[in-house]
């Protein structure tokens, strides 16, 4: 069985979903794909179902009723993958903002270099973002600074959504206790991974804003991230983390 699976949540991604699926399956390294579709009214799921006949055994889909949030989609996908024995579990957007070719670099960071998690980072070598307005670049960059200041993590791109987790990380984190559903979910996952002492590496990528479909960013999601970081830090004082490795310095 293939030991790598890419989890991609979708909501109204009919303009991107076929292209991203074909691109992932065209890569030299073999990845399975799991689409988590939140009841897209535009027919995204129907496109995936047709492609499942072509990529039988490699392309999978879970359909959920209604838009239940990014975080819950990934948690569902992580549990699905762990139940089936996958060792390297990736998260990635459907809109090509994360370069599919870099899945291989994230894989090698974990499988060859021995890291427990690898983040496709926009900011580890400067600001590598294309087609974003300057106000959004600044908001994203300084959000990372804010997260580092509050939590103590050294991760330059804590809100990144392009990641490879090894199974041992996801098995150690109690996924049922992950509370946030928007972009704060990304911070919460990294914070827990860091607190448990896992070895996290950032791999530089070039992030390109979507050219098709609509962004899912909202003020509510941003507010959740700002307030969520404070609650994460406070709640961590009342939790016991048993490190699996020495904590990163």
């Amino acid at each position: 069985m293939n030991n790598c699976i890419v989890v991609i949540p979708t909501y109204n991604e009919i303009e991107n979903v076929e292209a991203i699926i074909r691109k992932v399956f065209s890569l030299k390294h073999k990845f399975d794909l799991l689409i988590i579709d939140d009841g897209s009214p535009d027919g995204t799921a129907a496109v995936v179902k047709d492609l499942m006949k072509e990529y039988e055994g490699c392309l999978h889909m879970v359909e959920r009723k209604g838009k239940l949030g990014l975080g819950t989609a990934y948690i569902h996908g992580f549990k699905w993958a762990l139940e089936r024995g996958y060792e390297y579990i990736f998260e990635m957007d459907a809109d090509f903002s994360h370069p599919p070719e870099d899945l291989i670099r994230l894989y090698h960071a974990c499988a060859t270099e021995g890291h427990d998690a690898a983040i496709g980072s926009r900011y580890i070598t400067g600001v590598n973002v294309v087609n974003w307005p300057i106000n959004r670049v600044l908001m994203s960059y300084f959000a990372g600074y804010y997260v580092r200041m509050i939590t103590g993590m050294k991760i330059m791109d804590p809100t990144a959504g392009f990641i490879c987790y090894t199974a041992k990380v996801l098995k150690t984190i109690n996924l049922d206790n992950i509370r946030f559903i928007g972009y704060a979910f990304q911070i919460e996952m990294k914070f827990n991974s860091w607190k448990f002492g896992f070895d996290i590496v950032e791999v530089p990528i070039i992030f390109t804003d979507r050219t098709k479909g609509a962004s899912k960013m909202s003020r509510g999601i941003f507010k959740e991230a700002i307030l969520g970081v404070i609650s994460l830090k406070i709640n961590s004082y009342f939790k016991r983390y048993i490190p699996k490795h020495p904590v990163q310095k």
Side-chain angles (χ1 to χ4, degrees):
M1 188 186 100
N2 185 22
N3 64 354
C4 298
I5 189 163
V6 182
V7 180
I8 301 181
T10 56
Y11 183 77
N12 285 350
E13 292 288 358
I14 196 166
E15 294 178 274
N16 293 305
V17 71
E18 180 173 357
I20 195 71
I21 288 170
R22 292 193 182 281
K23 182 61 179 179
V24 170
F25 285 133
S26 75
L27 298 175
K28 292 182 179 179
H29 186 84
K30 181 175 173 57
F31 297 92
D32 285 357
L33 254 176
L34 172 63
I35 304 295
I36 309 288
D37 188 69
D38 272 6
S40 298
D42 69 348
T44 297
V47 172
V48 178
K49 285 177 182 176
D50 283 342
L51 289 169
M52 287 173 69
K53 301 169 188 174
E54 182 177 345
Y55 298 108
E56 186 176 359
C58 301
L59 175 60
H60 312 275
M61 180 170 62
V62 172
E63 293 183 81
R64 306 196 303 170
K65 295 181 179 179
K67 195 175 180 182
L68 302 178
L70 181 75
T72 65
Y74 276 127
I75 294 298
H76 192 112
F78 293 161
K79 290 180 176 180
W80 189 99
L82 290 174
E83 288 169 0
R84 288 157 180 81
Y86 288 95
E87 182 62 29
Y88 301 97
I89 301 164
F90 300 74
E91 55 173 86
M92 187 175 74
D93 290 348
D95 61 7
F96 284 91
S97 56
H98 303 140
E101 299 87 351
D102 286 336
L103 286 167
I104 297 172
R105 297 173 63 222
L106 298 183
Y107 169 74
H108 283 300
C110 292
T112 305
E113 298 173 12
H115 302 287
D116 299 314
I119 300 168
S121 177
R122 296 164 289 187
Y123 305 122
I124 192 64
T125 58
V127 178
N128 296 318
V129 177
V130 178
N131 291 342
W132 262 8
I134 188 63
N135 62 328
R136 190 166 178 185
V137 173
L138 291 173
M139 182 178 72
S140 174
Y141 185 83
F142 284 107
Y145 176 81
Y146 171 77
V147 172
R148 291 190 297 278
M149 180 180 66
I150 298 295
T151 65
M153 289 193 297
K154 304 303 182 185
I155 295 171
M156 288 298 296
D157 196 355
T159 61
F162 188 31
I163 307 163
C164 173
Y165 288 109
T166 55
K168 63 183 174 182
V169 174
L170 299 181
K171 288 176 180 177
T172 300
I173 296 172
N174 188 341
L175 294 174
D176 290 327
N177 287 342
I178 300 297
R179 298 181 296 116
F180 297 117
I181 61 174
Y183 283 89
F185 161 82
Q186 304 291 5
I187 302 168
E188 187 175 11
M189 286 292 297
K190 296 177 186 69
F191 182 74
N192 276 274
S193 302
W194 174 71
K195 289 293 288 184
F196 276 109
F198 285 109
D199 178 10
I200 305 168
V201 68
E202 291 186 81
V203 176
I205 67 162
I206 296 176
F207 178 97
T208 304
D209 195 21
R210 65 164 64 235
T211 58
K212 296 179 180 179
S215 171
K216 312 304 188 295
M217 176 63 78
S218 69
R219 288 185 179 181
I221 289 173
F222 184 69
K223 182 179 178 181
E224 178 196 59
I226 294 296
L227 298 178
V229 172
I230 298 173
S231 68
L232 275 178
K233 182 64 176 179
I234 293 172
N235 290 337
S236 71
Y237 293 127
F238 304 97
K239 293 176 65 176
R240 186 177 178 217
Y241 301 88
I242 302 175
K244 302 300 177 183
H245 303 286
V247 176
Q248 287 177 287
K249 301 297 183 183

